Amino acid sequence: MNYQPDFPPVPFRLGLYPVVDSVEWIARLLEAGVRTLQLRIKDKRDDEVEAEVAAAIALGRQYNARLFINDYWRLAIKHHAYGVHLGQEDLETTDLKAIQTAGLRLGVSTHDDMEIDIALAARPSYIALGHVFPTQTKQMPSAPQGLEQLARHIARLGNYPTVAIGGISLARASDVLATGVGSIAVVSAITQAADWQAATATLLQLAGVGDERS
Ligand SMILES: Cc1ncc(COP(=O)(O)OP(=O)(O)O)c(N)n1
Ligand SMILES: Cc1nc(C(=O)O)sc1CCOP(=O)(O)O
Ligand SMILES: [Mg+2]
């Protein structure tokens, strides 16, 4: 697969990619050395989240980090985020051209071959592959892909930047990275850890902070 996105490129290795629901978590993780991360706040109106989104984007910029905004693409454009992450359903209702024109990166969720076809048609900056293992964080209509399926998708996608997500714990991170995926996205492995700083440090050692250049 030749990587020629219609959106600004990202490095193949985005490294450790925590997905969190508050600006407090964004601040903590940036201070801990994380350089790829996502603000994922669910089911609120734009006006309810705008201040938090804007603050997270400003922090991301201050640390020269790659901060993706989940769902709130209009706010991401308005406040000049590094990127936006969208699900398959979002693709139908989002003005992708507006994201592209504003120069924001785009990440798209996928869960099987058909969704990868749909995502590739949008030529995003990266493709997320989920959910690898069972997850308690989000109700999933599909079954976990497992490592074998994940490795098959990675092989298919060649040099396209990829992110694995779903049930990735400290114990499983090495096996996931061994598939050749460029990044591991985690929620509970950090936010539910007894010691989130130790968990983040271990995951950073395993996955890295991501490459500087695409
Ligand atoms: C890195 C990454 N991968 C997948 C998702 C899931 O996004 P989406 O399908 O839009 O679902 P919600 O997160 O909005 O519930 C993600 N957020 N990040
Ligand atoms: C937000 C999200 N999206 C997924 C997908 O497969 O698209 S899995 C997921 C939750 C990931 O949380 P945890 O690391 O705690 O399992
Ligand atoms: Mg979403």
Side-chain angles (χ1 to χ4, degrees):
M1 182 72 48
N2 201 13
Y3 180 49
Q4 285 184 325
D6 264 356
F7 296 81
V10 297
F12 179 80
R13 260 183 292 276
L14 284 167
L16 175 64
Y17 183 173
V19 174
V20 295
D21 64 0
S22 70
V23 73
E24 286 79 16
W25 269 114
I26 298 286
R28 275 179 211 147
L29 290 166
L30 287 168
E31 197 52 39
V34 170
R35 288 295 174 265
T36 306
L37 62 182
Q38 183 185 126
L39 180 67
R40 176 177 180 265
I41 300 174
K42 295 305 293 180
D43 305 325
K44 292 199 173 163
R45 293 190 316 269
D46 279 28
D47 62 295
E48 292 177 297
V49 299
E50 179 159 6
E52 187 130 18
V53 169
I57 292 170
L59 266 177
R61 197 168 309 114
Q62 194 181 313
Y63 282 81
N64 204 16
R66 296 173 284 253
L67 177 78
F68 291 86
I69 301 297
N70 185 50
D71 295 348
Y72 297 95
W73 59 271
R74 288 186 187 84
L75 294 178
I77 291 174
K78 180 174 175 187
H79 296 282
H80 312 290
Y82 176 85
V84 175
H85 184 94
L86 296 177
Q88 291 273 318
E89 314 76 43
D90 307 317
L91 287 179
E92 294 155 23
T93 56
T94 300
D95 185 349
L96 296 181
K97 192 79 194 160
I99 296 173
Q100 186 194 28
T101 305
L104 272 57
R105 287 93 188 150
L106 176 67
V108 176
S109 302
T110 70
H111 302 92
D112 56 32
D113 281 294
M114 204 180 73
E115 291 191 357
I116 292 174
D117 290 341
I118 293 168
L120 283 174
R123 299 165 80 132
S125 309
Y126 75 76
I127 291 191
L129 302 159
H131 53 310
V132 186
F133 303 109
T135 175
Q136 304 296 316
T137 303
K138 177 177 170 169
Q139 277 219 324
M140 303 298 302
S142 52
Q145 305 211 28
L147 288 170
E148 238 174 76
Q149 193 82 288
L150 175 67
R152 195 173 63 73
H153 292 321
I154 305 288
R156 172 187 173 190
L157 289 166
N159 70 348
Y160 222 101
T162 47
V163 176
I165 186 167
I168 302 176
S169 60
L170 266 66
R172 288 164 164 163
S174 298
D175 287 345
V176 176
L177 288 163
T179 63
V181 75
S183 169
I184 51 171
V186 300
V187 181
S188 53
I190 289 177
T191 60
Q192 304 297 313
D195 181 345
W196 71 266
Q197 284 165 306
T200 302
T202 303
L203 288 166
L204 271 177
Q205 263 182 355
L206 293 171
V209 294
D211 293 338
E212 284 293 316
R213 295 172 165 277
S214 50

